[in-house]
Amino acid sequence: MSKKLHNFNAGPSILPKSIFEKTSKSILNFNESGLSILEISHRSNEFKDIFSEARELVLNIAKLDSNEYSSLFLQGGASTQFLMVAYNFLYNNAGYINTGSWSDKAMKEAKLFGNVIELASSKDKNYNYIPKNYNNISDLDYVHLTTNNTIYGTQFKSIPNFNQSLIADMSSDIFSRDIDYSVFDLFYAGAQKNLGPAGTTLVVIKKEIIKKIQRQIPSMLNYKIHIDKDSSFNTPPVFSIYACLLNLREIKTKGLENIESDNKTKADILYDEIDNNSCFVGFVENEDRSNMNVTFNLTDNNNSKIFEKICKERGVIGINGHRSVGGYRASLYNALQIGSVEVLVTCMKEVESLINKK
Ligand code: PMP
């Protein structure tokens, strides 16, 4: 039996074990059909049932009405949403909150379609906080924000009100907490963190905003076509969607309130250790610390070999910081157990006692 691993990867990342078991079975024999999930037709009744249940569950979990909103499972990652959002909805000016790399990339794509106004930025402090004051500009086509910055470990603790059409990249904190999803006209998330394996991107869109599309858009990038075709304009990623459905069922059963509470407990345990352990220091200002991606550094980089060796021995994996930031990042997605955070904390305590003995 191999040693238990504690998977802190930022994405693709940990998923509930039951999903690995169920998807494994489905690869050999999907629902006793004699066929593998990998070979069933996306037009088959079996897949249609999976797909409609997944699409309905998304809206149900987000407490959104299916008459008002549509959920789509697309491809091309959140990165394709950076351009699709602007291609469909940016005609004059759009406001972007710049909380680092991901928002920056979204802005870069949007600039191809219209005028991008940076409403606020935390670049002055290397994105270690969430800006609180925004340039108040009226009549924007939309405001775009990244609810959780995966790289820097910052998170909007509450969603600001702009009184304008609001669009969010929720790739790294979707369904990690019980927020009011109805404040958004559109939100999207690459599946590969809290939803499922890589290969599909969830988009939830208010049907009413389709009226705002004014230009000719290639079919694959046109939200209207994806809505009209029930998210099956082209072959949907059958396997990824099936895995997402299994996870969505778990999310629904546990409930966002309980998920949020457990995620907060995990983050509190880790931030508490960072704050009280003399060998570590947090990267983000306290009030903006993400409950999903905890970023931290050693106070003395000479201790990195010791820390990494201890982590390896205890099965802690995936804590290296993003290559653009360095240091460490522990991702605490829904499926990560509190016990895994406790193991990481034990590693940190061990470093401290070793260093203090020197
Ligand atoms: N936005 C955020 C917040 C992300 O964390 C990521 C990637 N992890 C992306 C966008 C890009 O997602 P993708 O790789 O699915 O294009």
Side-chain angles (χ1 to χ4, degrees):
M1 184 84 177
S2 55
K3 158 168 93 172
K4 176 166 171 56
L5 295 178
H6 304 280
N7 181 0
F8 291 90
N9 273 313
S13 49
I14 188 167
L15 287 169
K17 204 161 168 240
S18 61
I19 289 171
F20 305 138
E21 287 156 2
K22 287 179 187 159
T23 50
S24 302
K25 273 193 194 156
S26 78
I27 286 178
L28 296 174
N29 185 359
F30 173 65
N31 276 359
E32 306 307 322
S33 66
L35 290 176
S36 164
I37 182 81
L38 302 179
E39 62 180 344
I40 63 168
S41 163
H42 65 294
R43 305 267 176 224
S44 64
N45 286 337
E46 288 90 346
F47 182 67
K48 278 188 186 157
D49 288 348
I50 290 172
F51 206 11
S52 53
E53 186 185 342
R55 293 182 67 209
E56 279 163 26
L57 259 179
V58 165
L59 297 183
N60 181 300
I61 292 166
K63 300 191 187 87
L64 297 172
D65 185 340
S66 58
N67 291 320
E68 262 188 87
Y69 285 84
S70 182
S71 57
L72 310 170
F73 283 84
L74 305 181
Q75 295 180 70
S79 301
T80 299
Q81 294 310 305
F82 295 163
L83 72 100
M84 265 178 86
V85 161
Y87 207 164
N88 284 259
F89 300 117
L90 174 50
Y91 295 92
N92 296 303
N93 301 306
Y96 279 69
I97 313 289
N98 185 0
T99 51
S101 191
W102 296 117
S103 341
D104 216 33
K105 288 184 175 166
M107 287 162 71
K108 183 170 170 249
E109 298 299 293
K111 281 176 190 163
L112 299 170
F113 301 96
N115 191 23
V116 168
I117 302 174
E118 193 178 73
L119 299 180
S121 166
S122 48
K123 193 173 183 180
D124 58 335
K125 291 192 183 164
N126 198 20
Y127 303 110
N128 77 346
Y129 71 103
I130 294 284
K132 311 286 179 312
N133 300 314
Y134 312 106
N135 288 328
N136 216 348
I137 296 170
S138 54
D139 292 332
L140 294 170
D141 290 329
Y142 59 84
V143 172
H144 179 281
L145 54 82
T146 313
T147 50
N148 182 81
N149 193 301
T150 328
I151 293 178
Y152 300 93
T154 54
Q155 185 174 33
F156 279 90
K157 289 296 145 113
S158 60
I159 307 299
N161 181 5
F162 294 93
N163 283 325
Q164 314 217 40
S165 181
L166 190 58
I167 294 182
D169 173 2
M170 290 196 181
S171 293
S172 47
D173 67 351
I174 183 118
F175 296 158
S176 68
R177 52 182 172 160
D178 192 16
I179 57 168
D180 180 2
Y181 288 89
S182 74
V183 300
F184 303 103
D185 276 355
L186 188 156
F187 56 89
Y188 59 89
Q192 63 274 18
K193 299 166 202 302
N194 267 337
L195 291 176
T200 190
T201 309
L202 175 67
V203 177
V204 176
I205 180 167
K206 201 174 202 169
K207 293 177 192 170
E208 194 187 270
I209 66 168
I210 288 306
K211 285 191 253 156
K212 297 183 181 177
I213 301 175
Q214 293 166 29
R215 56 169 78 94
Q216 287 242 317
I217 295 171
S219 309
M220 272 299 280
L221 302 178
N222 188 329
Y223 288 118
K224 182 173 186 316
I225 289 185
H226 288 295
I227 294 172
D228 289 349
K229 296 286 179 189
D230 282 329
S231 197
S232 298
F233 171 69
N234 72 321
T235 312
V238 171
F239 181 73
S240 302
I241 291 170
Y242 177 59
C244 285
L245 167 64
L246 297 173
N247 196 24
L248 287 163
R249 284 182 186 153
E250 301 231 348
I251 293 172
K252 175 67 188 163
T253 305
K254 187 165 176 185
L256 287 187
E257 222 173 290
N258 295 325
I259 290 173
E260 176 170 351
S261 157
D262 280 2
N263 285 336
K264 184 168 182 319
T265 305
K266 289 184 284 182
D268 285 350
I269 293 172
L270 188 49
Y271 284 122
D272 197 50
E273 184 61 23
I274 291 168
D275 290 341
N276 291 298
N277 185 317
S278 57
C279 293
F280 293 93
V281 59
F283 176 74
V284 172
E285 286 187 7
N286 285 11
E287 59 181 0
D288 301 322
R289 286 171 156 181
S290 166
N291 284 353
M292 290 285 98
N293 310 98
V294 177
T295 48
F296 56 101
N297 283 308
L298 281 158
T299 43
D300 178 354
N301 275 332
N302 291 322
N303 296 330
S304 62
K305 281 212 170 71
I306 302 174
F307 179 48
E308 285 160 30
K309 182 169 174 279
I310 293 171
C311 285
K312 196 168 176 201
E313 281 165 6
R314 291 192 179 265
V316 166
I317 59 156
I319 60 161
N320 281 345
H322 188 269
R323 58 195 179 280
S324 64
V325 183
Y328 299 96
R329 168 179 55 175
S331 297
L332 314 181
Y333 298 123
N334 291 353
L336 189 88
Q337 300 295 304
I338 293 178
S340 291
V341 180
E342 285 163 348
V343 172
L344 174 56
V345 163
T346 307
C347 297
M348 296 163 81
K349 286 190 193 302
E350 225 174 287
V351 174
E352 191 181 36
S353 63
L354 275 174
I355 301 305
N356 287 345
K357 262 191 225 152
K358 271 188 185 171

